[in-house]
Amino acid sequence: MAIREVLKMGDPRLLEKARPVERFDTPGLHALIADLQDTMKALDGAGIAAPQVGVGLRVAIFGVERNPRYPDAEPVPFTVLVNPALAPLDNELEEGWEGCLSVPGMRGLVPRYRRLRYQGYNQFGKAIDRTVGGFHARVVQHECDHLDGVLYPMRIRDLRNFGFNEVLFPGQDLIDD
Ligand code: NI
């Protein structure tokens, strides 16, 4: 399909609340998801949400294969998630470093729920219901935030923990959400 331009922080469209998808398995929805996949792959991202390409719908995709560069990063299955709902399993938060395709070249330390249940649908309208933790839970929270107009820097507790990749993590090749 096509690699789309990713909006960058400062664009007001990234701050809007996206609206639910009303019809599944449509050519328009399939085309959007193909574009999101092409864009995520081209930019070597871990996830991307429709608002990041200027489409105000509650659609996100994510997935991380096992990567020798990140032996500690647990793989996350490739997922198309439409109209998601998140429910933390408890109040336990965990700080972790995040990057974002809309905030290129930077990293910030962000608190996220450690364990959660998420529900939603794939592009065909098939229900998804998973209970996850750790990095998978973090990626889902990051992508779902995009659907509510929230970018990760808005969640950093201490802005001293926000900076440029090459300064914070010299010599490392990092992936963005
Ligand atoms: Ni992001």
Side-chain angles (χ1 to χ4, degrees):
M1 296 297 291
I3 295 167
R4 304 271 288 256
E5 187 191 349
V6 175
L7 305 182
K8 294 196 180 108
M9 185 167 67
D11 191 306
R13 288 172 287 179
L14 290 169
L15 304 176
E16 290 173 8
K17 192 174 167 71
R19 54 187 196 283
V21 168
E22 290 176 0
R23 292 177 58 218
F24 293 89
D25 201 12
T26 63
L29 185 57
H30 291 307
L32 170 63
I33 287 160
D35 284 359
L36 289 172
Q37 265 188 272
D38 289 349
T39 305
M40 183 173 105
K41 195 171 177 195
L43 299 175
D44 203 16
I48 189 169
Q52 291 181 274
V53 298
V55 176
L57 288 171
R58 303 187 80 76
V59 175
I61 67 170
F62 52 86
V64 182
E65 289 173 17
R66 188 166 284 290
N67 188 326
R69 295 197 319 248
Y70 312 102
D72 299 334
E74 54 201 284
V76 178
F78 177 76
T79 302
V80 173
L81 187 59
V82 179
N83 297 349
L86 304 188
L89 296 192
D90 52 51
N91 287 323
E92 197 182 338
L93 297 170
E94 183 172 51
E95 300 258 6
W97 290 96
E98 294 186 16
C100 180
L101 297 172
S102 294
V103 191
M106 302 196 79
R107 279 287 178 285
L109 197 58
V110 182
R112 299 287 187 188
Y113 291 107
R114 191 193 282 271
R115 286 177 288 269
L116 59 84
R117 178 183 182 188
Y118 69 95
Q119 294 168 287
Y121 302 89
N122 73 5
Q123 64 271 47
F124 302 101
K126 183 177 185 294
I128 293 169
D129 185 345
R130 291 178 182 157
T131 297
V132 299
F135 185 57
H136 190 154
R138 176 170 298 277
V139 170
V140 173
Q141 289 170 86
H142 178 113
E143 297 314 328
C144 290
D145 263 357
H146 279 299
L147 309 181
D148 290 327
V150 176
L151 299 170
Y152 82 80
M154 295 154 71
R155 294 201 182 275
I156 298 172
R157 284 169 162 163
D158 180 345
L159 283 168
R160 287 175 294 190
N161 295 316
F162 184 43
F164 292 94
N165 289 341
E166 70 270 22
V167 180
L168 287 166
F169 302 103
Q172 283 189 42
D173 193 9
L174 303 166
I175 46 177
D176 290 318
D177 295 327

